[in-house]
């Protein structure tokens, strides 16, 4: 009942006051325009951050292949391969404050020759279930680096990440698959900061526009009110 009275009083004020109506219309139209601009900017910035990071990830994945070439350059027998497999994680894994890279290096087949080398090397934080059967089929069927967006857990929070997969053959004898996860935590935090900046900036702009529109409309309405008072 109380809220209904407040709503009725507000509607009566809106209908009876030209100044209030002008201010409400101005703020509403401006607010709509600001929301559309904020959405367009948010989407454009998000796509830009993701596109730039994807390009960097593809470059780093190519460099990872070159790193593997150096690791296994002198591995001419299964014993040497197994010894150098231990270097894969130390050379490829990154664990920095703003960027991480997790590694999953797995044998691609189970032929008699491949059985002579170890099956897998995987980072402790790499969730193998993130490599879906469909994605692995894509990697097996193409010599190009494959990638897709996934979600990873970092310190109990969910963040987007980029998963890459590629074929790699050690000494052209032992086929492996290399999977790398690059988290987008830093990019997500930047995007969140930009979004909050747009929200606070838009809110402040609306308040400022509402204040000045009230002043301007009061100047415009005052002569009309004075004329009405004189006529009465």
């Amino acid at each position: 009942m109380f809220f209904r009275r407040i709503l009725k009083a507000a509607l009566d004020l809106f209908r009876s006051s030209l100044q209030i109506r002008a201010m409400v219309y101005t703020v509403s139209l401006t607010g709509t325009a600001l929301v559309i601009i904020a959405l367009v900017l948010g989407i454009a910035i998000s796509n830009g951050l993701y596109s730039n990071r994807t390009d960097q990830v593809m470059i780093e994945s190519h460099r990872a292949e070159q790193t593997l070439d150096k690791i296994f350059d002198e591995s001419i027998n299964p014993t040497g391969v197994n010894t150098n497999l231990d270097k894969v994680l130390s050379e490829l894994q990154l664990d920095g404050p703003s960027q991480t890279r997790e590694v999953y290096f797995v044998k691609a087949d189970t032929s008699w020759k491949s059985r002579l080398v170890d099956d897998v090397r995987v980072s402790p934080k790499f969730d193998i279930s993130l490599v879906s059967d469909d994605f692995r089929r894509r990697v097996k069927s193409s010599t190009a680096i494959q990638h897709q967006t996934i979600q990873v857990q970092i310190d109990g929070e969910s963040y987007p990440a980029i998963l890459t997969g590629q074929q790699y053959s050690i000494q052209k004898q032992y086929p492996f698959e290399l999977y790398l996860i690059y988290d987008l935590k830093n990019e997500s935090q930047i995007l969140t900061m930009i979004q909050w900046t747009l929200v606070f900036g838009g809110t402040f702009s609306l308040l400022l526009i509402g204040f000045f529109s009230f002043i301007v409309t009061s100047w415009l309405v005052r002569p009309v009110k004075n004329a009405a008072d004189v006529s009465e």
Side-chain angles (χ1 to χ4, degrees):
M1 192 69 178
F2 175 74
F3 292 105
R4 185 178 297 177
R5 290 179 180 176
I6 294 178
L7 179 60
K8 185 177 183 303
L11 288 174
D12 291 340
L13 179 63
F14 177 79
R15 291 167 182 164
S16 61
S17 175
L18 176 62
Q19 183 178 358
I20 296 297
R21 289 201 301 273
M23 185 182 69
V24 169
Y25 293 146
T26 301
V27 172
S28 298
L29 292 173
T30 305
T32 302
L34 288 175
V35 168
I36 294 174
I37 292 172
L39 288 174
V40 172
L41 285 175
I43 293 173
I45 293 171
S46 176
N47 290 339
L49 287 173
Y50 175 76
S51 178
N52 289 337
R53 186 65 182 123
T54 300
D55 292 340
Q56 292 175 2
V57 162
M58 298 303 287
I59 293 173
E60 291 178 20
S61 295
H62 281 292
R63 289 175 179 169
E65 184 176 353
Q66 296 171 1
T67 301
L68 291 176
D69 289 338
K70 294 178 181 178
I71 293 174
F72 297 107
D73 184 47
E74 298 179 356
S75 302
I76 57 176
N77 56 61
T79 302
V81 171
N82 288 331
T83 300
N84 286 332
L85 274 173
D86 295 328
K87 299 179 182 179
V88 172
L89 295 186
S90 61
E91 292 292 332
L92 295 184
Q93 183 178 343
L94 294 177
D95 192 11
S98 60
Q99 180 187 1
T100 62
R101 181 172 65 192
E102 305 299 336
V103 183
Y104 178 37
F105 194 53
V106 60
K107 194 160 55 178
D109 67 32
T110 56
S111 63
W112 69 270
K113 183 181 289 187
S114 293
R115 290 174 190 169
L116 299 175
V117 300
D118 293 344
D119 289 343
V120 64
R121 290 294 185 274
V122 59
S123 301
K125 296 181 181 180
F126 195 111
D127 184 358
I128 298 177
S129 64
L130 294 173
V131 183
S132 65
D133 293 337
D134 179 65
F135 185 71
R136 193 163 186 181
R137 281 193 294 270
R138 284 170 50 192
V139 173
K140 288 178 178 293
S141 62
S142 175
T143 56
I145 298 176
Q146 304 297 309
H147 74 278
Q148 69 177 24
T149 305
I150 58 174
Q151 292 291 127
V152 296
Q153 294 291 323
I154 302 176
D155 299 328
E157 296 186 31
S158 180
Y159 290 96
I162 299 176
L163 169 66
T164 67
Q166 61 200 96
Q167 299 180 25
Y168 184 80
S169 180
I170 300 176
Q171 297 290 317
K172 297 183 179 180
Q173 300 182 61
Y174 311 107
F176 274 73
E177 295 164 14
L178 174 64
Y179 297 94
L180 302 171
I181 291 180
Y182 302 81
D183 73 76
L184 300 179
K185 179 180 178 180
N186 192 41
E187 287 75 12
S188 296
Q189 292 175 337
I190 292 174
L191 182 60
T192 299
M193 182 185 66
I194 293 173
Q195 289 172 337
W196 278 113
T197 301
L198 291 174
V199 169
F200 286 122
T203 302
F204 177 76
S205 298
L206 276 180
L207 293 175
L208 200 63
I209 290 171
F211 172 73
F212 282 110
S213 65
F214 182 82
I215 293 177
V216 171
T217 52
S218 66
W219 289 342
L220 296 175
V221 171
R222 186 179 298 117
V224 178
K225 286 184 177 180
N226 292 337
D229 292 338
V230 170
S231 64
E232 291 179 357

